């Protein structure tokens, strides 16, 4: 009987040596233990029980992580330089460490990056004219923060005419930040870590691809899906302010302007092949939803808006929404990092977790059917 076990052990060790992968140090140690045990058994002529060897296997799922923030306007020299920050101030100093934890970082550039251009709005009093001309040097802060892609589809991209639009695009391009959202640049693609991303952005405004034109939007998303691994869609839409916190699932109007049906738009984009959708525009935080295993943020609110913005109450919430997906875009889990703003103060982390509380509350109200589960530390996921 002992000769039988020695024969089996010899076959086992031979199979390990002949395997395609050489034994690990742990496996080698276990083989020596088996051999030593059999030697003891041989010398003492003991009865033994056959040993089953099982190699531990660790499975790794490849995932992607995204972070998204809302409106960014780091300072403007219009109507005068008093609305600019102190030279050398880094707008993302107090949130930078959070940004470093993601694969893709997204934001909405609320305004222009240009050193030239005349105000395109006809205002009697410049100080009551909300046009944003951020000097081009401020763009370097976006690069330093690690932004990969930015939407320029909003109601302020045309504040300084065609030159403002073209200078904004060329500034972002020179910094290696993908961007899209005007008629001259309706979409873009970029590759990072061997993943090809497609990005397009929409708004209800004059210079932008229209959020209401579903036919063209669907065609654009399908085109990107055919050539990219992941498709990101951004929209600037929905009525503004604290009277419009909820996603109505209807066409929203503000000051007589059609701001789109953001619910219908988001769902149609996912039906067309979009993998993740980031909304902004209402200047407040709104609910999030998971539809067909794809993530939608309906409004990321204000994030880094220096002066010229009303940041009272919930308007000062500045969420950093983190989403983890498979490499096919399927939602796995998310997390809300709560930041906050004050007038004339760049974003900082909010210990009271105001943004998290607001997103959790509104999501339960607007999308109870989704059943998203939020934890106290900011994570959210679908029910098992």
């Amino acid at each position: 009987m002992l000769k039988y076990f020695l024969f089996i052990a010899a076959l086992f060790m031979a199979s390990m040596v002949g395997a395609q992968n050489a034994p690990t140090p742990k496996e080698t140690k276990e083989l020596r233990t088996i051999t030593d045990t059999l030697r003891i058994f041989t010398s003492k002529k003991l009865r033994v029980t056959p040993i089953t060897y099982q190699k531990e296997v660790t499975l790794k799922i490849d995932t992607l992580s995204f972070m998204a923030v809302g409106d960014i306007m780091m300072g403007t020299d219009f109507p005068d330089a008093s609305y600019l920050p102190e030279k050398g101030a880094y707008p993302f100093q107090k949130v930078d460490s959070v940004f470093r934890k993601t694969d893709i970082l997204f934001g909405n550039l609320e305004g222009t990056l240009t050193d030239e251009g005349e105000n395109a709005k006809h205002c009697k009093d410049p100080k009551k004219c909300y046009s944003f001309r951020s000097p081009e040097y401020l763009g370097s802060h976006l690069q330093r923060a690690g932004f990969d892609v930015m939407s320029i589809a909003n109601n302020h991209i045309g504040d300084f005419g065609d030159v403002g639009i073209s200078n904004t695009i060329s500034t972002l391009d020179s910094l290696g930040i993908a961007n899209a959202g005007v008629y001259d640049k309706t979409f873009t693609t970029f590759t990072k870590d061997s993943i090809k991303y497609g990005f397009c952005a929409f708004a209800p405004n004059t210079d932008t691809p229209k959020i209401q034109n579903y036919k063209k939007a669907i065609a654009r998303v399908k085109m990107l899906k055919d050539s990219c691994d992941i498709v990101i869609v951004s929209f600037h839409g929905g009525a503004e302010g604290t009277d419009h916190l909820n996603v109505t699932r209807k066409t929203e109007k503000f000051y007589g302007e059609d701001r789109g049906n953001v619910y219908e738009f988001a769902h149609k984009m996912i039906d067309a092949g979009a993998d993740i959708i980031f909304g902004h525009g209402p200047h407040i935080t709104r609910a999030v939803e998971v539809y067909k295993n794809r993530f939608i943020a309906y409004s990321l609110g204000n994030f880094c808006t220096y002066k010229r913005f009303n940041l009272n109450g919930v308007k000062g919430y500045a969420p950093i929404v983190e989403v983890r997906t498979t490499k096919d875009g399927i939602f796995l889990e998310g997390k809300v990092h709560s930041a906050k703003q004050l007038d004339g103060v760049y974003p900082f982390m909010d210990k009271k977790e105001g943004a998290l509380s607001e997103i959790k509350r509104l999501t339960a109200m607007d999308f109870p059917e989704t059943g998203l589960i939020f934890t106290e530390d900011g994570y959210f996921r679908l029910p098992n």
Side-chain angles (χ1 to χ4, degrees), residues 51-360:
I51 299 171
T52 301
Y53 181 85
Q54 182 175 355
K55 181 179 179 180
E56 182 179 342
V57 178
T58 302
L59 297 177
K60 182 180 179 181
I61 301 174
D62 287 330
T63 63
L64 298 172
S65 62
F66 301 82
M67 279 190 187
V69 299
D71 297 349
I72 295 174
M73 198 288 290
M74 298 172 284
T76 175
D77 63 9
F78 179 89
D80 57 61
S82 67
Y83 295 101
L84 286 175
E86 183 181 343
K87 274 278 189 179
Y90 177 45
F92 308 106
Q93 183 69 46
K94 296 181 180 179
V95 296
D96 193 84
S97 60
V98 178
F99 287 169
R100 302 302 171 186
K101 301 174 183 177
T102 191
D103 297 318
I104 299 296
L105 180 60
F106 163 88
N108 169 55
L109 184 64
E110 188 81 351
T112 60
L113 282 172
T114 180
D115 292 336
E116 55 186 344
E118 296 298 322
N119 181 26
K121 295 177 179 177
H122 302 289
C123 308
K124 292 182 180 180
D125 183 354
K127 290 195 174 183
K128 294 182 180 179
C129 192
Y130 289 90
S131 292
F132 304 138
R133 184 174 59 196
S134 298
E136 293 171 20
Y137 77 84
L138 289 174
S140 63
H141 297 316
L142 300 172
Q143 183 186 54
R144 177 179 172 183
F147 281 94
D148 298 284
V149 57
M150 301 203 77
S151 169
I152 54 174
N154 56 64
N155 56 313
H156 288 285
I157 187 59
D159 283 355
F160 291 88
D162 291 341
V163 67
I165 294 173
S166 61
N167 284 0
T168 299
I169 293 172
S170 61
T171 299
L172 291 172
D173 287 347
S174 70
L175 295 168
I177 300 172
N179 59 93
V182 293
Y183 284 127
D184 288 343
K185 195 174 186 182
T186 59
F187 71 91
T188 190
T189 63
F190 62 99
T191 301
K192 186 174 183 181
D193 298 328
S194 301
I195 302 294
K196 185 177 181 181
Y197 298 89
F199 173 72
C200 53
F202 304 84
N205 308 108
T206 302
D207 301 291
T208 67
K210 295 296 180 284
I211 190 174
Q212 299 93 340
N213 194 330
Y214 295 156
K215 184 177 179 180
K216 286 188 176 180
I218 288 169
R220 193 163 295 127
V221 168
K222 286 184 175 180
M223 178 271 295
L224 288 171
K225 192 64 176 179
D226 286 342
S227 61
C228 299
D229 300 304
I230 294 289
V231 176
I232 305 167
V233 173
S234 170
F235 69 79
H236 194 83
E240 295 181 15
T242 53
D243 291 335
H244 303 283
L245 294 170
N246 297 98
V247 178
T248 64
R249 309 193 187 196
K250 299 177 182 179
T251 296
E252 299 182 44
K253 292 188 176 182
F254 189 69
Y255 288 142
E257 181 185 39
D258 181 346
R259 295 291 184 94
N261 182 332
V262 295
Y263 174 82
E264 186 175 58
F265 173 83
H267 281 222
K268 284 185 178 294
M269 294 307 98
I270 289 174
D271 290 341
D275 295 298
I276 192 163
I277 296 182
F278 297 129
H280 39 85
H283 297 294
I284 41 85
T285 296
R286 280 183 163 187
V288 300
E289 183 191 15
V290 176
Y291 168 68
K292 291 187 175 179
N293 289 316
R294 264 57 182 184
F295 177 78
I296 304 167
Y298 281 99
S299 177
L300 295 162
N302 298 313
F303 183 70
C304 184
T305 47
Y306 188 80
K307 299 185 177 180
R308 311 239 74 193
F309 282 74
N310 181 348
L311 299 175
N312 293 330
V314 295
K315 291 182 180 180
Y317 292 161
I320 305 169
V321 176
E322 179 180 1
V323 180
R324 192 165 65 89
T325 75
T326 68
K327 286 192 173 180
D328 296 323
I330 297 172
F331 173 81
L332 297 173
E333 68 174 356
K335 183 175 183 179
V336 178
H337 302 266
S338 294
K340 188 176 179 179
Q341 290 186 96
L342 299 173
D343 185 32
V345 177
Y346 281 134
F348 56 92
M349 300 312 296
D350 178 17
K351 294 181 180 179
K352 293 184 178 180
E353 304 282 358
L356 170 61
S357 297
E358 186 72 351
I359 289 176
K360 180 180 178 180

